[in-house]
Amino acid sequence: MNNNVLVLDEKKIRKGKPVGLPYVGSKKKVSKRIAQIIAQNFGTDKPVYDLFGGGGAVSLELMLNGFKDVHYNELDKMTFEAFRTALYDDFDVRDLIVTRYGFFEIRDREHDGLDELKLLVNSFGNDRHSYIYSKLISEDKTNLAKNIVWGESDWRRYNQTETYKRSNVEKIERIQQIERIKQIERIQRIEKNNLNHTNDGYRTFGDLSGAILYLDPPYEKATNEYQTGNFNSAEFYEWAYKMSKRNTVIISSYEVSDNRFEPVFEFKTARSTLNSNGYGNRTDKLFMVKAGL
């Protein structure tokens, strides 16, 4: 395969909504296309390692597209636990909606994967730190959400329910808590036979050979608001280049400063929402080692 360009037949993209935890920065906008780009250019038989798995959008999409061996990895312990819980634990997604008081009580104590999902569902911008609604309207909107999911048989179409139509909550458009638990419910329904999952750093996988590595590392020059810890991009690129000698390595980013890599696909409609450090108006791309290196 020539690394200069990757092809995509849009007609083969899976129908239906994307899947994945409701994280800011999730690859859900492009995950269905990423899965088909890998399938159409490299096939579905090789093991695929999603080493910066985050909310799991790409790993889940690979599973739904018939890949035989998918490996989700995420270093952040609580993100990993939330993903594992959504996939494997038996719980009612309606219980994920919590009050403002309940949210801060969970946030400020030690919590497990189920609690982490509650923080995701009920936080502003999925930041897991601040409550989803302002103090003025939080009680009304959360009570409305609970009344709908526990009182209406067709709560997934909540804006068509009588409870929603009778609501006095001002200027309701979407009830984000319900939108988010619907996303987690879609994860619960996925067949999980072809998925492995680990909670490690990317260097743990240095012995891989003959695999496809999909890598979505922290963006270069990202501020601490969007980047956890001190991620060394230069060291990562050196590792990725070495791994490309024995594996197919695909990096997902807005830019890669290491000139050994070149863009091989651009998602022209998937633009950055980050405005700091000049990241506004950039498009997401896939990078691979330059042909001939």
Side-chain angles (χ1 to χ4, degrees):
M1 185 73 199
N2 189 325
N3 283 1
N4 286 325
V5 64
L6 297 182
V7 299
L8 172 63
D9 181 352
E10 299 268 355
K11 295 178 181 178
K12 295 182 179 180
I13 296 175
R14 181 183 69 83
K15 306 298 183 184
K17 293 183 179 296
V19 290
L21 295 180
Y23 275 105
V24 170
S26 167
K27 280 293 186 289
K28 278 194 292 186
K29 287 183 179 179
V30 295
S31 59
K32 294 198 293 182
R33 283 185 280 173
I34 288 172
Q36 269 303 305
I37 287 170
I38 297 174
Q40 291 175 32
N41 291 273
F42 307 106
T44 59
D45 291 332
K46 289 184 178 181
V48 184
Y49 286 75
D50 180 11
L51 296 188
F52 299 83
V58 172
S59 288
L60 295 171
E61 199 60 50
L62 291 168
M63 294 164 62
L64 291 170
N65 276 268
F67 283 79
K68 304 296 190 297
D69 185 0
V70 179
H71 194 117
Y72 164 91
N73 180 73
E74 172 56 44
L75 178 60
D76 181 76
K77 180 66 173 177
M78 290 316 304
T79 301
F80 171 81
E81 288 297 334
F83 180 75
R84 188 205 60 76
T85 298
L87 270 175
Y88 297 106
D89 288 7
D90 184 18
F91 62 92
D92 192 324
V93 293
R94 295 176 294 179
D95 287 326
L96 295 178
I97 297 176
V98 298
T99 64
R100 185 182 186 87
Y101 173 81
F103 174 87
F104 289 115
E105 191 272 330
I106 293 170
R107 186 197 69 179
D108 295 337
R109 62 169 167 80
E110 288 190 18
H111 54 270
D112 57 15
L114 187 60
D115 287 336
E116 185 73 0
L117 289 177
K118 291 177 181 179
L119 295 181
L120 273 175
V121 165
N122 297 279
S123 60
F124 179 75
N126 310 112
D127 66 2
R128 295 173 281 177
H129 181 75
S130 51
Y131 195 62
I132 189 169
Y133 306 127
S134 69
K135 195 171 184 179
L136 185 63
I137 66 169
S138 63
E139 183 176 358
D140 287 341
K141 289 202 76 169
T142 301
N143 284 340
L144 175 61
K146 287 189 170 187
N147 289 340
I148 290 174
V149 299
W150 290 108
E152 299 278 359
S153 59
D154 197 16
W155 60 266
R156 293 162 189 82
R157 299 182 180 181
Y158 63 87
N159 57 1
Q160 298 177 26
T161 64
E162 290 302 315
T163 303
Y164 179 89
K165 293 175 182 178
R166 293 196 306 266
S167 170
N168 293 321
V169 179
E170 190 177 358
K171 296 181 180 178
I172 283 185
E173 294 178 358
R174 293 187 306 134
I175 304 179
Q176 291 170 298
Q177 290 155 306
I178 298 180
E179 294 285 348
R180 293 173 183 177
I181 65 173
K182 286 163 60 179
Q183 293 178 44
I184 294 170
E185 187 182 52
R186 285 196 287 272
I187 295 175
Q188 290 181 322
R189 297 198 299 264
I190 293 175
E191 188 66 40
K192 307 161 183 70
N193 294 336
N194 55 343
L195 178 74
N196 299 296
H197 55 283
T198 51
N199 172 219
D200 291 309
Y202 70 87
R203 291 183 179 277
T204 305
F205 302 89
D207 292 333
L208 289 177
S209 181
I212 298 171
L213 276 58
Y214 170 77
L215 308 172
D216 181 26
Y219 295 128
E220 292 185 53
K221 303 177 183 177
T223 65
N224 288 333
E225 183 178 357
Y226 301 102
Q227 178 174 326
T228 302
N230 297 314
F231 186 81
N232 190 313
S233 295
E235 289 182 2
F236 165 74
Y237 294 139
E238 182 63 30
W239 181 88
Y241 177 72
K242 290 179 179 178
M243 293 298 292
S244 71
K245 298 180 185 299
R246 306 188 309 273
N247 304 274
T248 300
V249 173
I250 303 169
I251 299 176
S252 181
S253 189
Y254 296 124
E255 67 174 17
V256 170
S257 59
D258 190 315
N259 61 16
R260 292 174 293 183
F261 295 87
E262 64 181 350
V264 292
F265 195 91
E266 180 180 7
F267 300 98
K268 295 183 179 180
T269 59
R271 296 189 173 275
S272 169
T273 58
L274 310 185
N275 292 318
S276 60
N277 292 328
Y279 268 81
N281 207 33
R282 293 191 179 187
T283 56
D284 218 337
K285 304 178 185 70
L286 300 178
F287 295 81
M288 296 180 69
V289 171
K290 287 181 180 178
L293 285 185

